Amino acid sequence: MLRLMEISLLTLILVLSLGGSVEAACPVGDLSGNCEVDLHDMDLFAQRWLDPTCVKPDCKADLDDVPGV
């Protein structure tokens, strides 16, 4: 019985220590930096995609200043 309690306690400690150290990264489409992909991210993408200062045929959306991209 004591051996079973020791194994159970050790398993619980390992699960809690591993669970506390796991951290998920923000999704790739998160442009606003809030770890959610929502309409605000779509708005930021559209603002850069439809940049009126870009008039050359080879212009590309400037997402360099957006966090997480």
Side-chain angles (χ1 to χ4, degrees):
M1 181 70 174
L2 184 59
R3 182 75 176 151
L4 181 61
M5 286 182 64
E6 288 176 349
I7 292 173
S8 298
L9 185 58
L10 180 61
T11 303
L12 178 65
I13 291 171
L14 286 173
V15 167
L16 290 176
S17 66
L18 291 175
S21 64
V22 174
E23 186 175 318
C26 292
V28 175
D30 175 37
L31 301 179
S32 61
N34 63 356
C35 287
E36 295 178 1
V37 178
D38 52 13
L39 288 177
H40 185 65
D41 298 305
M42 188 66 178
D43 183 45
L44 289 172
F45 180 77
Q47 287 175 14
R48 277 140 181 104
W49 190 264
L50 301 173
D51 183 7
T53 62
C54 184
V55 293
K56 299 180 284 185
D58 60 341
C59 274
K60 296 180 182 169
D62 180 20
L63 297 171
D64 290 337
D65 62 336
V66 177
V69 177

